[in-house]
Amino acid sequence: MTVRTAQEPGRSWLLRLVIAFAFAQGAVSMARPAVSYRALSLGADERAIGVITGVYALLPLFAAVPLGRRTDHGRCAPLLPFGVVLIAGGCALSGRAGSLTAMAAWSGVMGLGHLCFVIGASLGQLIGPIAAGYLISERDGAMARTSALALLVAAAVAAVSLGSLRRIEHRSPPAAHRAEPATKVPVGRILRARGVPAGIFISLAVLSATDIITAYLPVVGEHRGIAPATVGLLLSLRAAATIACRLVMTPMLRVLGRTALLTTTCLLAGVLCAGIALPVPVAVLAVMLAVLGFCLGVGQPLSMTTVVRAAPPEARSTALALRLTGNRLGQVAAPASAGLIAGVAGTAAPFVMLGALLLAAAGLGVRGGRRDRQAGAAPAVPAPRPRRRPTDRHRA
């Protein structure tokens, strides 16, 4: 009979981790559209929405690499409850904010908390927008009150995950922590590895598309007369398609290959993002978002594995942190650019910008695949083994 020591996390740690991630991700997915509706109720225009959305990624932009270094050389579990506290606090304080400046500040706090849960479960992305759309109502000028309520509920949902985070990491004896730390791989060396910059840019494009769709679809809905509950269903439909794509990822990779799959989905996602700018019926918009969610769901894990495979083995967490830094840079720059474009050309124009960004990502995917084929076209010839002399045979 195996006796479990007090230092071991137990067999249920993975289930509890998934539950915590699901609630935390659900809170964030619920809060993101609620923040847009709350800002609209406070008098925000398209440019202000872009700034608030960009601030969400501003603090994580500077924190991603240090946190990646921490996971390369130390424990990461203490970051999880800290992230939950920041998510819950950012949601609750956003719901109580009375100005756009305060909304932007607490949105940044929420983004920093979400950085600790970047590998969160997709189930939360499915449920969160539905709950937000259900709670938010624009009837009789109630959006200011109902969007604040949605943010407070999101804070409570995030707080639920705290109970699942106790003792999820194995604690090594103190002597293990006194071992000589591994040498840090320079960031420049990681970025010079073939495939890492392309993977980071593709990830940036895919996540920027997901982020702007979540933030700006409520704005588009307001201009086209689409109810918040319907917008919530549309966002959840996109998330459901993202989950569905993970179920068939392996067969698609086997049939098409990594390069063809990544390029095709980025290309199709670019066309569909640009198509959202058209005043299509809600039913057509739902189909477009479902296919778009499927394509974006393919791009997220493939860009991550591209970076992991290209990075030095001893610096994979740091490479993923650089990918996160690129993601956050896109989440700062893309919404700000989208806000400027929307202020000049209308609320649907940012989706055209996203389409161009994803088409550029598809081009990088084709280029990277061509390089891989050229590199593998001429395999290295193994060096001939030296012949053993007769004297050696007799000695043996």
Side-chain angles (χ1 to χ4, degrees), residues 124-190:
Q125 292 181 336
L126 172 62
I127 299 174
I130 295 177
Y134 178 78
L135 289 174
I136 298 172
S137 173
E138 59 182 347
R139 294 187 298 272
D140 302 324
M143 186 184 295
R145 178 178 56 81
T146 56
S147 60
L149 174 62
L151 286 164
L152 294 175
V153 172
V157 171
V160 171
S161 64
L162 275 174
S164 299
L165 293 176
R166 187 176 64 88
R167 294 177 62 242
I168 61 170
E169 185 179 58
H170 176 75
R171 292 179 178 268
S172 301
H177 295 287
R178 290 196 296 267
E180 184 178 354
T183 303
K184 291 183 179 180
V185 178
V187 171
R189 178 187 163 193
I190 300 173

Side-chain angles (χ1 to χ4, degrees), residues 16-343:
R16 291 187 286 116
L17 196 61
V18 169
I19 291 173
F21 283 166
F23 276 100
Q25 185 66 47
V28 172
S29 298
M30 183 177 182
R32 297 305 298 282
V35 164
S36 295
Y37 281 118
R38 176 72 174 166
L40 288 172
S41 71
L42 294 175
D45 58 7
E46 292 83 359
R47 297 179 184 178
I49 295 291
V51 171
I52 293 173
T53 304
V55 170
Y56 172 84
L58 191 59
L59 292 178
L61 176 64
F62 300 101
V65 172
L67 292 180
R69 294 288 194 192
R70 178 184 177 90
T71 56
D72 269 330
H73 303 291
R75 296 173 58 225
C76 63
L79 295 176
L80 300 180
F82 179 67
V84 170
V85 171
L86 290 181
I87 293 173
C91 292
L93 293 170
S94 295
R96 302 297 298 172
S99 68
L100 295 178
T101 302
M103 287 289 299
W106 298 127
S107 179
V109 172
M110 190 194 313
L112 182 61
H114 187 230
L115 179 65
C116 300
F117 281 88
V118 71
I119 58 171
S122 296
L123 179 61
Q125 292 181 336
L126 172 62
I127 299 174
I130 295 177
Y134 178 78
L135 289 174
I136 298 172
S137 173
E138 59 182 347
R139 294 187 298 272
D140 302 324
M143 186 184 295
R145 178 178 56 81
T146 56
S147 60
L149 174 62
L151 286 164
L152 294 175
V153 172
V157 171
V160 171
S161 64
L162 275 174
S164 299
L165 293 176
R166 187 176 64 88
R167 294 177 62 242
I168 61 170
E169 185 179 58
H170 176 75
R171 292 179 178 268
S172 301
H177 295 287
R178 290 196 296 267
E180 184 178 354
T183 303
K184 291 183 179 180
V185 178
V187 171
R189 178 187 163 193
I190 300 173
L191 291 175
R192 286 193 299 269
R194 187 173 63 185
V196 170
I200 290 176
F201 182 84
I202 294 171
S203 178
L204 181 155
V206 170
L207 190 62
S208 295
T210 304
D211 208 50
I212 291 181
I213 289 170
T214 303
Y216 270 87
L217 197 62
V219 182
V220 171
E222 282 295 294
H223 281 76
R224 298 183 184 176
I226 304 175
T230 304
V231 171
L233 287 173
L234 291 173
L235 291 174
S236 293
L237 180 62
R238 182 209 62 78
T242 298
I243 298 174
C245 90
R246 309 292 169 84
L247 301 177
V248 294
M249 182 76 73
T250 300
M252 290 191 300
L253 283 171
R254 189 180 301 116
V255 173
L256 297 177
R258 179 180 301 273
T259 300
L261 181 59
L262 185 59
T263 302
T264 303
T265 52
C266 284
L267 181 64
L268 183 55
V271 174
L272 290 171
C273 270
I276 296 177
L278 302 175
V280 296
V282 174
V284 176
L285 184 60
V287 174
M288 292 171 62
L289 285 170
V291 180
L292 179 58
F294 189 93
C295 294
L296 295 178
V298 171
Q300 289 173 354
L302 288 187
S303 65
M304 181 175 66
T305 55
T306 297
V307 172
V308 169
R309 293 172 63 184
E314 67 274 18
R316 284 172 177 166
S317 292
T318 304
L320 288 177
L322 288 172
R323 172 179 172 267
L324 290 177
T325 302
N327 289 347
R328 296 309 184 256
L329 180 61
Q331 287 181 296
V332 171
S337 302
L340 292 175
I341 294 174

Side-chain angles (χ1 to χ4, degrees), residues 381-394:
V381 179
R385 291 183 298 176
R387 293 184 177 180
R388 300 176 64 183
R389 293 179 300 177
T391 54
D392 292 336
R393 187 179 301 113
H394 292 300

